[in-house]
Amino acid sequence: MFASHKLFNGSQIPQALQDKIVQEVQALDNKADAGSVQLVLSPDLTQHIAVVGLGSSESSANTSEIVRTAVANGIKQLKAKKVANISIAPMPCAHAAGEAAALASFTFTGFKTQKKAEETPLSIVAADATAEWNAGQVYAEAQNFARELMATPANFMTPTIFAQRVQDEMASLPNVKVNVFDEKWARDQRMGGLIAVSQGSDEPLRFVEIVYQGRPGPGPVSLALVGKGITFDTGGYSLKLGKNMDLMKGDMGGGATVVAAMRAIAQLQLPINVVATVPLCENMVSGRATKVSDVYTSRAGLTVEVMNTDAEGRIVLADALHYTVEAHQPQSVVDVATLTGAMVVALGELYTGVFTPSPSLWQHIDRAGATTDEPVWRMPLHDRWDAMLKSPIADLSNIGCKGEAGACTAAAFLRQFVDGPRLTPPAVMREQNNDESVPRWAHLDIAGPMEASTSEGYHHQGMSGRPTRLLIELAKQLSAE
């Protein structure tokens, strides 16, 4: 219902029911503000009806987010009334309504031994299930899959279990091939960084590769997605504080969102060739663990001095990025990682920080974020960050030498392994914001958005599964190029 008390697609609702809904909403002085909900009873008093507010404008630029929030709030209120079967009437944005239906019904209680007696299985359908509604469901179910992977305790989501889940999820999808590699393969691939991080854990590493061939015949890989897969992060010898360490079961959030997006891309059969890689391991403390000041040799041949073992995500991502670019030669490569606490300080949980030298790739990511209402913010790349990665004994340090610009130097470190090392800074240092060389590269730091602090609207408190829908939308946009 709009603020004018006009029902969207009211012509499809019996006049008597329309009149009752409008009269009751008006009598209760409900303004139909965006996202509001008013429960009324059907004329025969047998059904609850959630009248959701769509706000004052019938052509708002925020229509998708308004619909997503309103539908989710309506579902939650009906669920609180123990309604088991919900039918969603046509909405201004069917895709957003389909997303809301799946996102709002997500729960994660898989390890509770006793269910609440009042819990009732919830069935949600569309009164008119269009292609847009169905696509929205696929987007949202992918995010829910990422939420589940991230929320699962680390002893039930080891690198081996994660890799097996990927194989199980992808097994029935057409045009998809999944490869799972072990430590021997990683050593053969000269992945010194992945080996260095993983060697402190008793859990064996895994390297997952997903290849989706959405276009017939041979053709280039349009998009590569690389996700950080640290299934638990203690910080290693640069040990984290105990407070909030439980969240580190979600430190594989980049890998989870990448895998979930790939599942949706294949389900939607998008006409695009996409590759995803996820280096999987734990970052633990033991007699075998990498120590501060140790030096390893990366797959790119660059030596790296480990000045902070809690900056391990960039170490495993560097090897994965170098392998992905060399093996698949993608036109664009996007890495996704819960990488730095500095990004949480800078942007909080709302925005994903995006580092890219490519204006055109940034425009695609920005548009994908706007379409899915998963906000992004472009962060700076600069020659100065490269200069801060110097080490007195190795080619690079894994952290900046000045203890500042933590998210920026992490991004600069990763870029060294995409399009070649930048070990000698230019005489005149400049911002790196206008480079369209192939592969176009972007780094998404999702350390803030990895967790939702509230369950407002379609959000679920806990691991968020973001930015899964953005990644799917990005692939969709690139498929049209």
Side-chain angles (χ1 to χ4, degrees), residues 439-454:
R440 299 181 300 182
W441 164 76
H443 160 57
L444 274 57
D445 192 332
I446 62 168
M450 70 174 281
E451 183 193 20
S453 58
T454 71

Side-chain angles (χ1 to χ4, degrees), residues 175-177 179 181 207-214 219-227 258-259 261-262 265 272-278 320-321 323-335 475:
N175 306 319
V176 176
K177 180 181 180 182
N179 298 313
F181 301 114
F207 189 97
V208 170
E209 178 180 59
I210 308 169
V211 180
Y212 169 68
Q213 192 79 19
V221 173
S222 298
L223 175 65
L225 301 173
V226 181
V258 160
V259 165
M262 287 295 286
I265 289 166
I272 183 174
N273 296 338
V274 188
V275 168
T277 57
V278 183
L321 279 165
Y323 165 80
T324 304
V325 170
E326 183 179 86
H328 297 286
Q329 299 181 6
Q331 295 172 332
S332 297
V333 57
V334 176
D335 72 75

Side-chain angles (χ1 to χ4, degrees), residues 7-15 17-18 88-91 127-128:
L7 295 173
F8 179 77
N9 276 347
S11 60
Q12 299 182 17
I13 302 173
Q15 189 62 49
L17 180 55
Q18 282 191 59
I88 309 294
M91 292 284 166
D128 182 16

